[in-house]
Short mmCIF file of all heavy atoms in Angstrom, two decimals:
data_model
loop_
_atom_site.label_atom_id
_atom_site.label_comp_id
_atom_site.label_asym_id
_atom_site.label_seq_id
_atom_site.Cartn_x
_atom_site.Cartn_y
_atom_site.Cartn_z
N ASN A 1 121.35 103.22 107.69
CA ASN A 1 121.47 103.80 106.33
C ASN A 1 122.50 103.09 105.47
O ASN A 1 123.25 103.72 104.71
CB ASN A 1 121.78 105.30 106.41
CG ASN A 1 120.76 106.07 107.20
OD1 ASN A 1 119.56 105.89 107.02
ND2 ASN A 1 121.22 106.92 108.11
N LYS A 2 122.52 101.77 105.56
CA LYS A 2 123.43 100.97 104.76
C LYS A 2 122.65 100.01 103.86
O LYS A 2 121.53 99.61 104.20
CB LYS A 2 124.38 100.16 105.65
CG LYS A 2 125.33 101.01 106.48
CD LYS A 2 126.24 100.13 107.34
CE LYS A 2 127.21 100.98 108.15
NZ LYS A 2 128.08 100.14 109.01
N ILE A 3 123.24 99.66 102.72
CA ILE A 3 122.67 98.62 101.88
C ILE A 3 123.77 97.61 101.55
O ILE A 3 124.94 97.97 101.39
CB ILE A 3 122.05 99.16 100.57
CG1 ILE A 3 123.05 99.95 99.74
CG2 ILE A 3 120.81 100.00 100.87
CD1 ILE A 3 122.52 100.35 98.38
N SER A 4 123.36 96.35 101.46
CA SER A 4 124.28 95.27 101.11
C SER A 4 123.74 94.59 99.86
O SER A 4 122.58 94.13 99.84
CB SER A 4 124.39 94.26 102.26
OG SER A 4 125.28 93.21 101.92
N LEU A 5 124.55 94.53 98.81
CA LEU A 5 124.12 93.99 97.53
C LEU A 5 124.37 92.48 97.46
O LEU A 5 125.38 91.99 97.98
CB LEU A 5 124.86 94.67 96.38
CG LEU A 5 124.78 96.19 96.33
CD1 LEU A 5 125.56 96.72 95.14
CD2 LEU A 5 123.34 96.67 96.28
N SER A 6 123.45 91.78 96.82
CA SER A 6 123.64 90.35 96.55
C SER A 6 124.49 90.21 95.29
O SER A 6 124.16 90.77 94.24
CB SER A 6 122.29 89.66 96.34
OG SER A 6 121.50 89.76 97.51
N GLN A 7 125.57 89.46 95.41
CA GLN A 7 126.51 89.34 94.30
C GLN A 7 125.91 88.57 93.13
O GLN A 7 125.14 87.63 93.32
CB GLN A 7 127.79 88.67 94.75
CG GLN A 7 128.62 89.49 95.74
CD GLN A 7 129.09 90.80 95.14
OE1 GLN A 7 128.85 91.86 95.70
NE2 GLN A 7 129.76 90.73 94.00
N ASN A 8 126.27 88.98 91.92
CA ASN A 8 125.95 88.28 90.68
C ASN A 8 124.45 88.17 90.43
O ASN A 8 123.97 87.17 89.90
CB ASN A 8 126.60 86.90 90.66
CG ASN A 8 128.11 86.97 90.79
OD1 ASN A 8 128.75 87.81 90.17
ND2 ASN A 8 128.67 86.09 91.62
N GLU A 9 123.72 89.19 90.82
CA GLU A 9 122.31 89.27 90.47
C GLU A 9 121.89 90.73 90.45
O GLU A 9 122.59 91.60 90.96
CB GLU A 9 121.44 88.46 91.43
CG GLU A 9 121.41 88.97 92.85
CD GLU A 9 120.45 88.16 93.72
OE1 GLU A 9 120.86 87.08 94.19
OE2 GLU A 9 119.30 88.61 93.88
N VAL A 10 120.72 90.98 89.84
CA VAL A 10 120.18 92.34 89.80
C VAL A 10 119.61 92.67 91.17
O VAL A 10 118.78 91.95 91.71
CB VAL A 10 119.09 92.47 88.73
CG1 VAL A 10 118.49 93.87 88.75
CG2 VAL A 10 119.66 92.16 87.36
N ASN A 11 120.07 93.78 91.74
CA ASN A 11 119.59 94.24 93.03
C ASN A 11 118.58 95.35 92.82
O ASN A 11 118.79 96.25 91.98
CB ASN A 11 120.75 94.75 93.87
CG ASN A 11 121.67 93.62 94.33
OD1 ASN A 11 121.55 93.13 95.45
ND2 ASN A 11 122.58 93.20 93.45
N VAL A 12 117.49 95.31 93.59
CA VAL A 12 116.42 96.29 93.45
C VAL A 12 116.11 96.90 94.81
O VAL A 12 115.87 96.18 95.79
CB VAL A 12 115.14 95.65 92.87
CG1 VAL A 12 114.02 96.69 92.75
CG2 VAL A 12 115.42 95.01 91.52
N LEU A 13 116.14 98.22 94.85
CA LEU A 13 115.77 98.98 96.05
C LEU A 13 114.62 99.90 95.68
O LEU A 13 114.74 100.69 94.74
CB LEU A 13 116.97 99.79 96.55
CG LEU A 13 116.72 100.76 97.70
CD1 LEU A 13 116.29 100.02 98.97
CD2 LEU A 13 117.95 101.62 97.97
N ASN A 14 113.51 99.79 96.40
CA ASN A 14 112.34 100.63 96.15
C ASN A 14 112.19 101.66 97.25
O ASN A 14 112.13 101.32 98.43
CB ASN A 14 111.07 99.78 96.05
CG ASN A 14 111.05 98.89 94.82
OD1 ASN A 14 111.71 99.20 93.82
ND2 ASN A 14 110.30 97.81 94.86
N LEU A 15 112.12 102.94 96.86
CA LEU A 15 111.99 104.04 97.81
C LEU A 15 110.87 104.97 97.36
O LEU A 15 110.66 105.17 96.16
CB LEU A 15 113.28 104.84 97.90
CG LEU A 15 114.55 104.13 98.37
CD1 LEU A 15 115.75 105.05 98.19
CD2 LEU A 15 114.43 103.71 99.82
N THR A 16 110.18 105.56 98.32
CA THR A 16 109.31 106.68 98.00
C THR A 16 110.16 107.95 97.95
O THR A 16 111.30 107.98 98.45
CB THR A 16 108.20 106.84 99.05
OG1 THR A 16 108.80 107.21 100.30
CG2 THR A 16 107.42 105.54 99.22
N GLY A 17 109.59 109.00 97.38
CA GLY A 17 110.31 110.25 97.35
C GLY A 17 110.62 110.75 98.76
O GLY A 17 111.72 111.26 99.03
N ALA A 18 109.66 110.59 99.68
CA ALA A 18 109.88 111.03 101.06
C ALA A 18 110.99 110.23 101.72
O ALA A 18 111.83 110.80 102.45
CB ALA A 18 108.58 110.90 101.85
N GLU A 19 111.02 108.94 101.47
CA GLU A 19 112.09 108.11 102.06
C GLU A 19 113.46 108.54 101.54
O GLU A 19 114.43 108.60 102.30
CB GLU A 19 111.83 106.64 101.74
CG GLU A 19 110.67 106.04 102.52
CD GLU A 19 110.30 104.65 102.04
OE1 GLU A 19 110.59 104.32 100.87
OE2 GLU A 19 109.68 103.90 102.83
N LEU A 20 113.54 108.84 100.24
CA LEU A 20 114.81 109.28 99.68
C LEU A 20 115.22 110.63 100.28
O LEU A 20 116.39 110.83 100.64
CB LEU A 20 114.70 109.38 98.16
CG LEU A 20 115.94 109.87 97.42
CD1 LEU A 20 117.14 108.98 97.69
CD2 LEU A 20 115.68 109.94 95.92
N GLN A 21 114.28 111.55 100.40
CA GLN A 21 114.59 112.85 100.96
C GLN A 21 115.06 112.76 102.41
O GLN A 21 115.90 113.54 102.85
CB GLN A 21 113.37 113.78 100.89
CG GLN A 21 113.13 114.39 99.54
CD GLN A 21 114.12 115.53 99.24
OE1 GLN A 21 115.29 115.44 99.57
NE2 GLN A 21 113.64 116.57 98.60
N ASN A 22 114.51 111.81 103.15
CA ASN A 22 114.82 111.71 104.58
C ASN A 22 116.10 110.93 104.86
O ASN A 22 116.53 110.88 106.03
CB ASN A 22 113.66 111.06 105.32
CG ASN A 22 112.43 111.96 105.39
OD1 ASN A 22 112.55 113.19 105.38
ND2 ASN A 22 111.25 111.37 105.42
N LEU A 23 116.69 110.33 103.83
CA LEU A 23 117.97 109.64 104.05
C LEU A 23 119.08 110.67 104.19
O LEU A 23 119.35 111.42 103.26
CB LEU A 23 118.27 108.70 102.87
CG LEU A 23 117.60 107.34 102.84
CD1 LEU A 23 117.97 106.60 101.55
CD2 LEU A 23 118.01 106.50 104.05
N PRO A 24 119.78 110.70 105.34
CA PRO A 24 120.87 111.66 105.49
C PRO A 24 122.09 111.28 104.67
O PRO A 24 122.87 112.14 104.25
CB PRO A 24 121.18 111.62 106.99
CG PRO A 24 120.75 110.25 107.42
CD PRO A 24 119.56 109.91 106.56
N PHE A 25 122.27 110.00 104.43
CA PHE A 25 123.36 109.48 103.61
C PHE A 25 123.03 108.03 103.27
O PHE A 25 122.08 107.45 103.82
CB PHE A 25 124.72 109.57 104.34
CG PHE A 25 124.76 108.82 105.64
CD1 PHE A 25 125.12 107.48 105.69
CD2 PHE A 25 124.44 109.46 106.83
CE1 PHE A 25 125.14 106.79 106.88
CE2 PHE A 25 124.46 108.78 108.04
CZ PHE A 25 124.81 107.44 108.06
N LEU A 26 123.81 107.44 102.37
CA LEU A 26 123.61 106.03 102.00
C LEU A 26 124.99 105.40 101.85
O LEU A 26 125.81 105.85 101.05
CB LEU A 26 122.83 105.91 100.69
CG LEU A 26 122.44 104.50 100.25
CD1 LEU A 26 121.51 103.84 101.27
CD2 LEU A 26 121.78 104.52 98.87
N THR A 27 125.23 104.36 102.64
CA THR A 27 126.52 103.68 102.63
C THR A 27 126.39 102.31 101.98
O THR A 27 125.50 101.53 102.35
CB THR A 27 127.07 103.51 104.05
OG1 THR A 27 127.25 104.81 104.63
CG2 THR A 27 128.41 102.78 104.04
#
């Protein structure tokens, strides 16, 4: 449940509603 951003560019994360609901946390 972690995400790592690429520096100096637009970062895009695509989630379904179910995926978002099922995430217990996001680090």
Side-chain angles (χ1 to χ4, degrees):
N1 303 314
K2 295 180 179 179
I3 57 173
S4 180
L5 305 180
S6 298
Q7 293 298 126
N8 301 317
E9 66 177 81
V10 177
N11 290 262
V12 179
L13 173 63
N14 292 336
L15 299 172
T16 66
E19 288 171 336
L20 178 58
Q21 281 284 39
N22 290 331
L23 278 176
F25 59 88
L26 185 63
T27 299

